């Protein structure tokens, strides 16, 4: 059997007195579309940030392509490239779209400006934006365009250096705050990028949104109280009798999930 692309073993994370993650094991396989769900404040973003190498766990080990990650992404020599798309697009306001998408290549590669610009335009096309978007500044973009630009940045890589191609893409609530139609556009884009040459056919997403979970997940894990409480295929969310999953999808205040302020 193929080994997992990303493996979390016994991951724990505490903030102050709160155990956000408590001995979590998770295997993510190449080609998977995994969506992490659960009530707010249960550590979903924390798991993503740990996988991305932006945050260190207190305990446990992370393996990427069977190599143990030592430390965080910034001090990593043998980094597998894992891209993260943040909830807010997190673009640099003082840079153009071209400089935002090509940032790492302008900083770290020997590719010519012309070559990087061509790659930027290619990525813009993949996320459904015209090439001239490259000359705009983030302030000139709508919210939806900013989001697309942040997707383009996540899939950017150096064609002469395969290690820069993302092994997986992490999406933190990519449809939060979007209307249903704009959400569908983003959900379709996530799937399209998985299937057409983004460099990675694997992603891990955090989402609350019913439509996003149903359209973008193959496998779902339900996180609550520091643990993975349930996992299954996306179609199982309607048939499982797991009380937490039922409560979540019925949006009910009654059940094992404790609701703050009730
Ligand atoms: P979710 O994504 O499930 O909504 P998060 O992973 O963002 O949850 O946060 C889980 C809990 O950890 C929350 O109670 C949050 O306030 C806390 N938390 C997250 N990051 C930090 C941090 N850097 N410092 C202190 N507490 C944090």
């Amino acid at each position: 059997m193929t080994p997992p692309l990303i493996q979390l073993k016994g991951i724990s994370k505490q903030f102050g007195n709160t155990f956000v993650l408590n001995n979590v094991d998770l295997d993510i396989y190449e080609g998977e579309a995994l969506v992490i769900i659960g009530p707010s404040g249960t550590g979903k973003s924390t798991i993503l940030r740990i996988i991305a190498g932006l945050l260190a766990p207190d305990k446990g080990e992370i393996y990427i392509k069977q190599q143990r990650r030592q430390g965080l992404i910034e001090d990593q020599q043998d980094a597998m490239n894992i891209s993260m798309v943040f909830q807010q697009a997190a673009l640099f306001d003082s840079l153009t779209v071209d400089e935002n998408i090509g940032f790492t290549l302008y900083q770290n590669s020997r590719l010519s400006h012309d070559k990087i610009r061509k790659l930027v335009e290619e990525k813009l096309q993949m996320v459904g934006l015209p090439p001239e978007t490259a000359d705009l500044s983030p302030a000139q973009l709508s919210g939806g365009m900013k989001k697309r630009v942040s997707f383009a940045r996540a899939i950017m890589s150096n064609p002469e250096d395969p290690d820069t191609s993302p092994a997986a893409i992490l999406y933190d609530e990519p449809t939060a705050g979007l209307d249903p139609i704009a959400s569908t556009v983003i959900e379709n884009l996530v799937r399209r990028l998985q299937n057409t040459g983004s460099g990675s056919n694997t992603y891990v997403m955090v989402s609350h949104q019913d439509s996003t979970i149903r359209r973008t997940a193959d496998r779902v894990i339900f996180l609550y109280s520091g643990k993975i409480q349930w996992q299954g295929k996306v179609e199982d969310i309607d048939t499982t009798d797991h009380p937490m999953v039922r409560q979540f999808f019925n949006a009910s205040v009654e059940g094992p999930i404790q609701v703050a302020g009730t």
Side-chain angles (χ1 to χ4, degrees):
M1 198 174 151
T2 326
L5 181 68
I6 300 169
Q7 200 168 24
L8 307 189
K9 284 190 184 175
I11 295 292
S12 296
K13 184 74 192 174
Q14 185 174 358
F15 291 115
N17 292 327
T18 318
F19 280 95
V20 176
L21 300 173
N22 187 1
N23 205 15
V24 170
D25 293 324
L26 176 63
D27 290 347
I28 302 162
Y29 291 88
E30 166 109 43
E32 273 206 293
L34 178 71
V35 177
I36 304 174
I37 64 173
S40 295
T42 48
K44 302 180 298 296
S45 299
T46 302
I47 283 208
L48 274 197
R49 285 187 289 140
I50 288 173
I51 296 173
L54 296 169
L55 183 73
D58 298 333
K59 272 200 222 141
E61 292 150 25
I62 300 148
Y63 294 85
I64 314 276
K65 290 189 179 162
Q66 296 178 283
Q67 281 184 46
R68 179 153 181 206
R69 167 177 286 145
Q70 317 282 350
L72 294 179
I73 203 92
E74 71 250 16
D75 44 47
Q76 186 84 342
Q77 295 304 310
D78 56 351
M80 295 293 164
N81 185 16
I82 295 185
S83 294
M84 179 136 170
V85 175
F86 295 93
Q87 203 179 112
Q88 310 301 333
L91 303 176
F92 295 115
D93 287 333
S94 57
L95 304 180
T96 63
V97 166
D98 173 55
E99 290 161 340
N100 266 285
I101 298 176
F103 189 79
T104 345
L105 295 189
Y106 283 120
Q107 297 285 316
N108 302 328
S109 80
R110 292 164 167 233
L111 297 177
S112 69
H113 273 226
D114 281 358
K115 176 80 185 158
I116 297 175
R117 171 65 183 230
K118 269 191 78 178
L119 291 167
V120 166
E121 291 183 5
E122 189 185 298
K123 303 303 173 201
L124 281 170
Q125 193 191 8
M126 288 174 78
V127 300
L129 290 173
E132 51 286 5
T133 315
D135 297 318
L136 301 177
S137 74
Q140 293 172 289
L141 306 177
S142 69
M145 288 167 87
K146 277 188 196 159
K147 208 150 249 195
R148 284 165 188 265
V149 169
S150 72
F151 280 41
R153 182 177 56 185
I155 59 174
M156 190 63 163
S157 65
N158 182 348
E160 291 171 15
D161 181 359
D163 281 351
T164 62
S165 184
I169 302 179
L170 311 178
Y171 295 102
D172 193 1
E173 302 212 33
T175 53
L178 298 184
D179 67 56
I181 298 168
S183 295
T184 306
V185 171
I186 292 295
E187 290 150 9
N188 291 345
L189 179 57
V190 167
R191 279 298 195 187
R192 200 167 75 228
L193 292 178
Q194 182 193 21
N195 297 322
T196 53
S198 62
S200 169
N201 58 359
T202 311
Y203 61 81
V204 183
M205 179 188 291
V206 166
S207 180
H208 284 115
Q209 208 160 305
D210 198 72
S211 69
T212 307
I213 298 163
R214 291 174 191 281
R215 289 210 184 89
T216 60
D218 294 335
R219 178 157 71 111
V220 174
I221 71 170
F222 190 99
L223 198 67
Y224 181 63
S225 195
K227 299 266 188 206
I228 295 176
Q229 303 282 351
W230 178 86
Q231 58 180 306
K233 293 192 190 133
V234 68
E235 53 270 27
D236 299 341
I237 58 183
D238 292 319
T239 53
T240 178
D241 55 8
H242 192 286
M244 288 185 185
V245 180
R246 289 276 55 81
Q247 183 184 355
F248 187 81
F249 284 99
N250 292 334
S252 173
V253 292
E254 308 290 339
I257 301 168
Q258 293 184 3
V259 188
T262 57

